[in-house]
Amino acid sequence: MEINKAEFVTSLDAYGPFPGAGLPQIALAGRSNVGKSSLLNCLTGRKGLAKVSGTPGKTRMINVFLINGTFHLIDLPGYGFAKVSRQEQERWGRMMEDYFASSSTLRLTLHLVDIRHEPTKDDVQMNRFLRESGQPFLTVATKLDKISRAQRMKCLHQIYRTLSIQPWQAVAVSSETGEGKAQLLAEMEKALL
Ligand SMILES: Nc1nc2c(ncn2[C@@H]2O[C@H](COP(=O)(O)OP(=O)(O)OP(=O)(O)O)[C@@H](O)[C@H]2O)c(=O)[nH]1
Ligand SMILES: [Mg+2]
């Protein structure tokens, strides 16, 4: 699959109806700062499409993008950002539960984790949430360019082990270099068939 058209549709502070809803969806979930917005820009080849920030917690809304006029990419707000209030955390939890309960056309969730670190408690919890909700998901190890080739297998194995996933349930990508992008797009295409 190639992405040749990407348009911002809307930002939602609670999941609900939006123009054009009903098409298949692929969602991006992961810790704040893990690289969700960067990946979206990399996949679509549009640098400024989703706001990237050095400050975690930038994306507090559910951002919807229309891709190739045929499916929606859903950039979900990040979790695990220590500096948010309990109230803000609860709001996040409700938003996610609502989203997964009501997005009947969701085909795949890309669960992003940072390749450099052992998945956090929050990552493990997100993984469990996806399993328990019965949603198809793919673990995407981000920031591949930040580790050496020699470290790759070790880092990936730590992710497989901590999340109890099989190697075929994960891909590694770099939004910086585009490495892994073709493999990820192929997985997305399969999910949309
Ligand atoms: N080197 C490198 N840096 C990356 C990569 N992906 C993201 N980053 C950097 O990581 C930081 C966070 O990226 P974002 O894409 O804004 O992360 P996010 O997951 O959307 O964060 P929130 O919106 O806060 O949830 C930015 O400084 C990016 O430039 C990558 O593949 N390689
Ligand atoms: Mg973001």
Side-chain angles (χ1 to χ4, degrees):
M1 177 169 70
E2 255 183 67
I3 293 180
N4 36 46
K5 206 162 163 227
E7 305 156 62
F8 171 75
V9 177
T10 189
S11 277
L12 304 166
D13 59 8
Y15 190 68
F18 62 86
L23 290 172
Q25 297 185 355
I26 294 180
L28 292 163
R31 207 158 48 73
S32 279
N33 218 39
V34 72
K36 295 179 294 300
S37 300
S38 301
L39 182 64
L40 207 145
N41 293 340
C42 167
L43 290 174
T44 60
R46 294 262 309 273
K47 277 226 147 44
L49 189 62
K51 281 203 187 72
V52 170
S53 171
T55 321
K58 183 84 197 164
T59 316
R60 293 283 176 83
M61 310 270 272
I62 294 175
N63 291 311
V64 180
F65 300 86
L66 176 64
I67 308 299
N68 291 348
T70 57
F71 71 97
H72 288 116
L73 262 180
I74 312 288
D75 188 12
L76 295 168
Y79 54 77
F81 177 42
K83 281 192 197 132
V84 301
S85 63
R86 154 132 296 168
Q87 200 185 341
E88 192 57 25
Q89 278 177 39
E90 281 168 6
R91 189 180 86 93
W92 179 88
R94 274 196 305 277
M95 257 170 116
M96 299 295 271
E97 274 169 25
D98 283 354
Y99 175 69
F100 287 101
S102 53
S103 62
S104 55
T105 58
L106 179 62
R107 297 287 183 83
L108 180 68
T109 298
L110 304 177
H111 179 210
L112 277 59
V113 297
D114 192 320
I115 197 162
R116 295 171 294 175
H117 311 298
E118 179 170 8
T120 64
K121 254 194 213 149
D122 291 325
D123 290 330
V124 172
Q125 214 172 358
M126 183 73 219
N127 174 271
R128 194 172 303 144
F129 178 77
L130 289 168
R131 278 172 201 277
E132 284 170 3
S133 64
Q135 300 286 352
F137 66 90
L138 180 73
T139 303
V140 178
T142 64
K143 310 195 184 185
L144 182 58
D145 59 285
K146 294 238 189 195
I147 58 168
S148 70
R149 286 191 173 264
Q151 290 174 298
R152 286 182 179 192
M153 272 342 259
K154 187 173 157 275
C155 289
L156 281 170
H157 276 284
Q158 185 174 52
I159 291 169
Y160 302 154
R161 208 176 326 113
T162 310
L163 298 180
S164 308
I165 56 171
Q166 299 297 321
W168 50 267
Q169 293 178 294
V171 295
V173 297
S174 165
S175 298
E176 225 20 63
T177 66
E179 191 175 0
K181 174 177 163 174
Q183 195 193 345
L184 179 54
L185 284 170
E187 292 292 335
M188 290 166 64
E189 185 169 26
K190 262 198 268 170
L192 291 168
L193 282 178

